Amino acid sequence: MADATTKAIIDTISRYLARCTDDELEAVRKKFNCVMRLDIAESGGTSSYVLDLKSQCTAGPLTEQSPSPHVTVGLSDEDFVRLVNGSEGHQRLFMKGRLKVQGNMMLLDHITSLGRLLDAAE
């Protein structure tokens, strides 16, 4: 995804999930089985997104109706894009202090797997 941003990635995933068949959604649920919250530092402040890849299979901005996350990840927009496209690893970002995690840290591997959802969406 050229000139990718977190918002563009979330929008692409959201559109992909909306057009998936029931069988495809079940495969997504089986693979991810979690709710992730992303707190993304951008030039104008922080934006929060929720990826519900457990029950509803939706992706979008955080709302009052969003489910409770299994993991909350805080990082910059640029670092999130690098994680999803595979050019940076979450372990490296965490060790550098550029990635903050609350909740189930083991679910960080799923962020890199989001790149496969993007490949399927395009």
Side-chain angles (χ1 to χ4, degrees), residues 1 12-13 16 19 84 113-122:
M1 231 180 168
T12 300
I13 292 171
Y16 169 71
R19 71 172 191 256
V84 171
S113 298
L114 291 174
R116 288 191 269 287
L117 277 183
L118 286 175
D119 292 342
E122 295 177 338

Side-chain angles (χ1 to χ4, degrees), residues 1 13 17 35 47-49 52 58-59 75-76 87 90-92 97 103 111 117:
M1 231 180 168
I13 292 171
L17 293 171
V35 177
S47 296
S48 296
Y49 303 93
D52 178 354
T58 58
L75 69 167
S76 71
S87 64
H90 60 78
Q91 300 95 337
R92 184 179 213 167
I111 292 176
L117 277 183

